[in-house]
Amino acid sequence: MSNTMPEAVRLFIEATNTGNTDQLGPVMASDAVLRDAPENRIISGAEAIKDFLRESKEQYAIVLTVTHTTCTSNKGSLTVEAKGNFAGSPLAFSYCFIMQGSIIHHLTIDLA
């Protein structure tokens, strides 16, 4: 196990914080799936996920701070503190990534 985030995961967190999702193209599978458990929502496809991240940044001014990482060659688990203009801010979330090589294929976001 490693506490070092894969580059794709680091870029995902950065894109969430900035709203600039252009950098995710080469590190996210075109058929990637994001499961937002607290909202009971599934977002399918890299373009839809990028839209979701941009909209979340615009609507809620979300900023993530990674507080813990556990990564293996094909999985990454992060605990993050999310701050923004949403009820309950700040909140702790878990982000669980499933990777294929250096590409994000699946992500589940849940309350920590």
Side-chain angles (χ1 to χ4, degrees):
M1 293 222 192
S2 167
N3 289 333
T4 304
M5 281 187 281
E7 181 67 4
V9 173
R10 187 191 67 73
L11 291 171
F12 187 93
I13 298 299
E14 185 177 301
T16 301
N17 285 342
T18 65
N20 178 5
T21 60
D22 295 338
Q23 61 196 345
L24 294 178
V27 298
M28 184 175 290
S30 61
D31 62 346
V33 175
L34 184 151
R35 181 174 173 265
D36 183 352
E39 296 293 325
N40 195 28
R41 184 173 174 192
I42 295 176
I43 301 157
S44 299
E47 290 305 315
I49 293 169
K50 290 193 265 184
D51 289 344
F52 169 77
L53 294 178
R54 284 190 299 271
E55 291 165 8
S56 294
K57 181 63 177 177
E58 289 172 12
Q59 185 173 3
Y60 300 111
I62 291 175
V63 175
L64 303 179
T65 302
V66 177
T67 58
H68 185 315
T69 64
T70 303
C71 298
T72 64
S73 61
N74 64 343
K75 291 184 181 180
S77 178
L78 310 178
T79 303
V80 302
E81 179 184 72
K83 292 182 182 177
N85 51 0
F86 54 88
S89 176
L91 290 173
F93 289 93
S94 65
Y95 280 58
C96 295
F97 293 86
I98 297 176
M99 311 285 293
Q100 187 170 50
S102 60
I103 306 294
I104 298 169
H105 275 266
H106 191 273
L107 166 62
T108 299
I109 301 170
D110 207 346
L111 289 169

